[in-house]
Amino acid sequence: MTASLRPRALRLLRLLSRPGFHLFLTGLLMVLGFVLAHRISERSGREQLSALSTERLELYASNLAAELGRHASLPSLLAIAPTLQALMQTPEDAGARRAASQMLARVNVRAGTHQIFIADAGGQVLSASETLQPPPRLVEALAQGRAHFFAADANTGSTDFYLLHPLRQASQHSGVIVVRFNLAPLEATWIDLGLRSQNERILIADDQDVVIMSSVQAWKYAVLGHADPSRRQALQASARYPQAIGPNLDLPASLEVHQGQQVSLPLPGAKPMLAQQRQIVPLGLRLVALSDLTEVRQRAQLAAWGGAAFGASIGLLVLYLSSRRRALRQLTRAQTELQQAHALLEQLVDSRTAELRQTNDALKTQIAQRLQTEGELLQASKLAVLGQMSAGLSHEVNQPLTALRALARNSIRLLEAGRQDAVATNLQLMDDMVERMSQITRQLKSFARKADEQVTGAVSLLDCVRNALLLLEHRSRALDVQAEIDVPVGLRVRAEANRLEQVLINLFGNAIDAMQNEAERRLGVQVIAQDSGRRALIRVQDSGAGVGEADLQRLFEPFFTTKPAGEGLGLGLVISAKIVHEFGGALRAERLEHGMSFEFDLAVETWTAAPETNDV
């Protein structure tokens, strides 16, 4: 058996030593190296490109969400504006429409939006920041109860985003606030990035799979999938797009985020691309990223030729040492380029992540600063009121102090004379004066402290009214103001005592200022039961001259005041309205035949006993 195997082994050695076998083996190794290197490099390149595209998708989605959410709270803030509430109560009043339009125009300029308007339940525009033609989709959105929708601008061809917030009167849907802002700047940024980077395309499609935003202008209003002539005609007839529907892109209906899918667009000169998408569910949008695979294929071909060279170097190790060195150099160069590309990709991802984290931290800081500023503004308003009352309160304290000094000296002489009864009388008078000064200082200390805006409970309305009148007693007594209080003794409302007293002091102080030049000075506080006793309407009336109709519409605007310069900041009524709103009520003003009336409603905690009428 050993003798029979020896000739076969010799023939095999002779076969392996032939140049033709070396050439065959070299060729086979080149083919295997080519195929394996190409597949590995292409797979790695596609995975890297997919990861990069995923990060960019998240970045684009975050930018889009930030752009759309920048004005998300504006409609709800406008909904509580007294001017708009007055419009919804009398939608046919031309004055109310004009006042609302002026307010919307100011807010539109300050907020940086493109348009704000109010429409009734049928889509008819009642008031707007500027003359407009409502979008055709408004009626459809109102019927479907949408909070937002996209619509194309027929004049510019750009995409607009509309935010909707319902307006209610007596728990009934009576209208809607619509805020429009244009997405052309964001789309222009994407187009600029697309021009600088030819390897990536960004598309945003609506719920009809029609592209409404694109980094490639020619692809706008194209269909992501395939639309037959009947569906294309239906899309054109919907009036949702300002121009003809573009070509079919024939993208698959289901695309993954982290795993891209190779597609070929049916367009002239189109190259194979890697498609990925991210669903933006709240907006009903599809964010699609198309990445060019040309560079990945070029790298795969380079790696494949490197593998072929490596295979050739193994086969021709002895005969072709120089070729082996050349092939190794090519392979090392290819690996170095791949490592540099990978390092660059990691650096880009880290940089984008750090930028996003910094933006998030800055946003949190801004929110905290805004809340702190609001609290400081409330405290500053109280300190401003205390400053205005300081002169009168100083007199209130100095007068008893002078009397105390006189009584003390008199008591010393009476003690020397042995008149004990007279000394006791003087001591009682001194105790009464000290108690009155203590009461004033306690109320000042309680009013000046900074209240916790989050804490509300059951407070006595009559005690709050009395405390407010106590702090303003020196002003009302100097002007001989008659205060008529009609407040139930057992009425306890849902509020925070310190901030409720701040509201009452602002209203009482304004009333006393308005009656300075009047012959009859009368301040009334009245409580009216509402909603079967579950809510209480607090009404403050004065007999002053009142304000004009034009000023009445602006009473609750920040920094507006009818007082002379240096006597008012124009923040008292604004802060009072905000406090009442946080308590669940609304502050309103009304002109009377003689004077003004301010009223607001609060939730009732308990309501017992009959009203107590006091004349101060």
Side-chain angles (χ1 to χ4, degrees), residues 13 38 151 292 344 357 366 379 410 504 582 589:
L13 290 175
H38 187 277
D292 192 354
L344 181 61
R357 186 179 297 108
Q366 290 177 2
Q379 187 68 9
N410 189 26
L504 294 173
E582 292 174 354

Side-chain angles (χ1 to χ4, degrees), residues 504-523:
L504 294 173
I505 287 176
N506 283 332
L507 297 181
F508 294 167
N510 289 341
I512 293 174
D513 291 339
M515 296 185 295
Q516 287 184 357
N517 300 323
E518 301 297 323
E520 181 183 6
R521 304 180 182 94
R522 187 175 64 258
L523 173 65

Side-chain angles (χ1 to χ4, degrees), residues 37 72 85 163 261 276 284 290 320 368 386 493 496 503 541 550 556 568 571 596 599:
Q85 293 180 0
L163 286 171
Q261 182 174 348
Q276 294 172 266
L290 299 175
Y320 304 101
L386 289 176
V493 294
E496 196 276 324
V503 173
Q541 297 179 343
F556 296 98
L571 293 175
M596 289 290 296
E599 61 183 25

Side-chain angles (χ1 to χ4, degrees), residues 235-250:
L235 290 174
Q236 193 67 45
S238 66
R240 295 176 61 173
Y241 313 104
Q243 62 189 54
I245 301 301
N248 297 325
L249 299 182
D250 289 340

Side-chain angles (χ1 to χ4, degrees), residues 8 12 43 60 76 84 120 123 125 156 178 211 240 243 248 265 408 421 444 471 480 484 528 536 569 605:
R8 296 180 179 179
L12 180 59
R43 180 182 301 175
Y60 284 119
S76 59
L84 303 187
D120 59 17
V125 176
T156 64
V178 183
V211 177
R240 295 176 61 173
Q243 62 189 54
N248 297 325
L265 302 181
D421 295 338
L444 279 174
L471 292 179
D480 194 18
E484 301 175 355
I528 302 174
L569 298 177
E605 186 72 17

Side-chain angles (χ1 to χ4, degrees), residues 509-573:
N510 289 341
I512 293 174
D513 291 339
M515 296 185 295
Q516 287 184 357
N517 300 323
E518 301 297 323
E520 181 183 6
R521 304 180 182 94
R522 187 175 64 258
L523 173 65
V525 183
Q526 183 183 11
V527 175
I528 302 174
Q530 289 186 333
D531 196 12
S532 302
R534 287 191 291 268
R535 298 190 71 82
L537 180 68
I538 298 94
R539 180 175 295 163
V540 179
Q541 297 179 343
D542 62 73
S543 59
V547 298
E549 187 65 30
D551 293 338
L552 184 63
Q553 304 297 328
R554 303 182 59 192
L555 282 180
F556 296 98
E557 293 183 6
F559 305 107
F560 173 78
T561 178
T562 58
K563 298 178 182 179
E567 295 186 11
L569 298 177
L571 293 175
L573 289 178

